[in-house]
Amino acid sequence: MSFVHICASLTSNKKTLACAGSSLIRRRLSWRLVMSVSVPLKAALRGRCGVCGEGKLFHGYLNLKSKCDHCQQDFTVADTADGPAFFVGFAIMILMAPFYFILPIADISIAAKIAGYVVVLGATFGLTLWLLPLAKAALFNLQIHHRAEEAQFEKRG
């Protein structure tokens, strides 16, 4: 999709935008698109609603509320399923795997290896428990922001 096509679609939606094709306008347009996505992500880092940024998302550790206390946004319209666990699990695996591979071949005593495994295992659990609510809030807020929903297929012929 070209820049001119994006400008034409934006102006057809009754949004005024000068589409001269200059790099300044492209930068402003891309900055606005980045800003619109950064708002739900900033709210997610604080565990807040992605619509208003005020109401809390969770009651408990990973249990989402049914609606926002501040703006009354319905939280049942989006479901993150196992996406946050998948992304956090793989990120932690990539981050911590080198330690699990290096410890067995390290030239240290068995007591030091066991202590190293305890530390690495504790760090793995700690990072996972810390990142899961952040990832769930981020994916949830992005789903609401982009109005993502389950795919619906048409029957043909």
Side-chain angles (χ1 to χ4, degrees):
M1 182 180 275
S2 70
F3 177 70
V4 174
H5 185 264
I6 292 171
C7 289
S9 66
L10 285 175
T11 54
S12 68
N13 290 336
K14 297 186 178 50
K15 291 184 179 178
T16 57
L17 179 67
C19 296
S22 71
S23 62
L24 177 64
I25 293 173
R26 283 190 202 129
R27 279 183 283 186
R28 285 184 182 167
L29 179 64
S30 65
W31 180 249
R32 286 184 184 145
L33 293 174
V34 169
M35 288 298 294
S36 66
V37 173
S38 70
V39 172
L41 291 178
K42 286 179 184 177
L45 290 176
R46 295 186 348 246
R48 304 292 182 183
C49 171
V51 176
C52 67
E54 297 294 324
K56 289 187 176 184
L57 281 178
F58 300 109
H59 66 87
Y61 178 60
L62 287 175
N63 297 328
L64 288 169
K65 291 183 172 187
S66 59
K67 65 180 179 177
C68 177
D69 297 331
H70 189 260
C71 69
Q72 305 304 315
Q73 167 68 41
D74 184 19
F75 287 161
T76 61
V77 297
D79 181 25
T80 59
D82 59 351
F86 176 81
F87 291 123
V88 167
F90 271 91
I92 297 297
M93 179 184 68
I94 290 168
L95 191 68
M96 301 305 282
F99 297 106
Y100 286 109
F101 290 129
I102 291 172
L103 272 174
I105 60 173
D107 191 25
I108 54 177
S109 68
I110 191 75
K113 286 183 183 183
I114 291 172
Y117 273 118
V118 168
V119 169
V120 171
L121 192 60
T124 301
F125 281 126
L127 278 171
T128 302
L129 294 175
W130 177 61
L131 288 176
L132 266 175
L134 297 175
K136 185 167 186 167
L139 288 176
F140 181 77
N141 280 348
L142 287 173
Q143 279 182 332
I144 289 178
H145 176 74
H146 293 290
R147 295 180 182 95
E149 58 186 31
E150 191 172 333
Q152 298 174 3
F153 300 101
E154 297 177 1
K155 289 186 179 181
R156 293 191 179 194

